[in-house]
Amino acid sequence: DENKIKNTMGCGKSSAAGAATPSGKPSVVFVLGGPGSGKGTQCAKIVDEFKYAHLSTGDLLREESKKGGELGDKLKKTMEAGELVSSAMLVELLKKAMKDRGWEKSKFLLDGFPRNQENIDEWEKQIGKEADIKFILHIDVSKDVMKERLLKRGEESGRADDNEETILKRFETFEKESLPIIQFYEKKKLVRKVDSSKPVDEVYAEV
């Protein structure tokens, strides 16, 4: 629903992208990019220099499921069953993590969110205008480069999901679900795209 997307991104243009908002709302940048694009590396550098809080949906899911409690137990049960975590639970988790780190006058990088239209709809429902969305930072690189990086990482780290078959499935998921989100926001002039094929420091200079 285009109106819902518009509502989510339609606020807070009066303050600088790096600053918390005068209204006390948290300042949020969505960070998207395909698997192996270097999102995590660039987010770590932004955190060091600009003091953002970096929230990676994957890391948060793993941490919360280990903690227990009502939400943690629900997440653990879902993941152990091999099911996808619902958008409702994911946004609930993000909101909780943001509040734990200090909701007002805070700056957040949401890494890997939103992944699809349902994520956006749920964000609007649970958070909406309580947060000030600045823009989407799109860390962009070709499939060939991402594949090469992930295969190399798999050799070094032994991560089970860094094999060729799984990598191709992850690419397909990203293209099917996340690319339409990026393309929609591009039309609204709310995407800042960075070419991530260069050496890390050159990419960060552009970031």
Side-chain angles (χ1 to χ4, degrees):
D1 185 331
E2 292 199 355
N3 290 325
K4 287 182 181 176
I5 297 180
K6 218 174 291 177
N7 290 342
T8 309
M9 300 292 283
C11 55
K13 292 185 182 177
S14 59
S15 53
T21 53
S23 61
K25 293 178 182 181
S27 177
V28 176
V29 173
F30 293 146
V31 185
L32 291 178
S37 59
K39 294 193 308 295
T41 302
Q42 295 303 323
C43 284
K45 289 180 171 291
I46 294 168
V47 168
D48 284 345
E49 184 169 350
F50 296 103
K51 311 307 175 194
Y52 272 73
H54 175 212
L55 301 180
S56 163
T57 51
D59 291 346
L60 287 173
L61 287 167
R62 285 186 285 273
E63 285 167 21
E64 194 68 25
S65 65
K66 287 176 187 171
K67 281 185 199 171
E70 189 181 347
L71 179 59
D73 289 344
K74 274 197 291 185
L75 290 168
K76 187 177 180 184
K77 190 176 175 183
T78 302
M79 290 191 287
E80 281 179 350
E83 296 167 0
L84 285 174
V85 172
S86 70
S87 292
M89 277 197 281
L90 188 59
V91 174
E92 185 183 346
L93 177 60
L94 282 171
K95 190 170 185 178
K96 180 178 182 291
M98 289 165 74
K99 286 187 180 292
D100 287 348
R101 286 156 179 78
W103 181 264
E104 291 186 359
K105 297 181 183 173
S106 292
K107 301 183 296 184
F108 295 99
L109 295 172
L110 299 195
D111 179 355
F113 185 92
R115 289 185 186 273
N116 52 41
Q117 178 63 53
E118 191 183 68
N119 282 178
I120 293 174
D121 294 343
E122 195 59 45
W123 175 277
E124 177 66 15
K125 185 176 167 185
Q126 290 193 40
I127 297 173
K129 292 180 181 177
E130 290 179 49
D132 187 13
I133 309 298
K134 295 301 183 182
F135 54 85
I136 288 178
L137 177 60
H138 178 201
I139 309 293
D140 187 38
V141 70
S142 72
K143 265 193 197 178
D144 288 342
V145 172
M146 287 191 279
K147 182 177 165 186
E148 187 183 320
R149 287 177 182 172
L150 291 170
L151 289 172
K152 187 178 178 187
R153 186 174 76 182
E155 287 170 14
E156 292 169 356
S157 69
R159 267 184 60 163
D161 58 349
D162 285 343
N163 63 74
E164 193 154 354
E165 187 182 348
T166 308
I167 287 166
L168 290 173
K169 284 179 184 171
R170 287 161 70 194
F171 285 158
E172 282 173 19
T173 301
F174 177 74
E175 286 186 338
K176 182 182 171 187
E177 298 197 338
S178 299
L179 273 185
I181 300 297
I182 292 167
Q183 286 161 357
F184 180 86
Y185 286 138
E186 276 176 342
K187 290 176 190 168
K188 303 291 175 190
K189 312 290 184 194
L190 286 165
V191 175
R192 310 287 183 268
K193 185 154 79 171
V194 175
D195 177 7
S196 179
S197 63
K198 303 167 190 170
V200 171
D201 289 339
E202 285 183 39
V203 177
Y204 183 62
E206 197 176 334
V207 166

